[in-house]
């Protein structure tokens, strides 16, 4: 599969972006978000999330929470299987 742009890995905070990918078959039904991520090697990953008000000790933010199918390594000993995209104002 040929992606529209070929980019070199770049550092974004603690995470490194190592590959380009496409997100297709996006479906939004009520607050549920589903999509298929297609990597540059043709492999596919099913994504699922919800639009929520996230509450951390009384501080509420609205955004998209996604449960990842496999844990994401942030550092050598730190992994997460959830990502929250905060809605910017």
């Amino acid at each position: 599969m040929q992606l529209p742009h070929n980019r070199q890995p770049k550092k974004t905070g603690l995470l490194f972006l190592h590959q380009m990918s496409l997100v297709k078959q996006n479906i939004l039904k009520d607050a549920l978000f589903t999509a298929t991520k297609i990597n540059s090697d043709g492999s596919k990953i099913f994504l699922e999330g919800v639009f929520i008000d996230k509450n951390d000790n009384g501080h509420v933010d609205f955004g998209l929470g996604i449960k990842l199918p496999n844990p994401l390594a942030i550092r050598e000993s730190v992994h997460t299987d959830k990502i929250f995209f905060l809605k910017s104002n």
Side-chain angles (χ1 to χ4, degrees), residues 23 25-37 45-53 62-69 81-85:
V23 178
Q25 299 172 334
N26 303 331
I27 298 171
L28 181 60
K29 182 176 181 183
D30 299 321
L32 179 64
F33 168 84
T34 59
T36 302
K37 177 183 170 201
I45 298 172
F46 178 72
L47 299 173
E48 166 173 75
V50 291
F51 288 94
I52 58 172
D53 288 323
F62 178 77
L64 174 62
I66 294 183
K67 173 92 166 89
L68 300 172
D81 64 348
K82 299 173 190 83
I83 297 178
F84 183 77
F85 295 94

Side-chain angles (χ1 to χ4, degrees), residues 15 45 67-75 78-83:
L15 301 176
I45 298 172
K67 173 92 166 89
L68 300 172
N70 299 308
L72 174 68
I74 297 173
R75 290 190 178 188
V78 179
H79 296 78
T80 186
D81 64 348
K82 299 173 190 83
I83 297 178

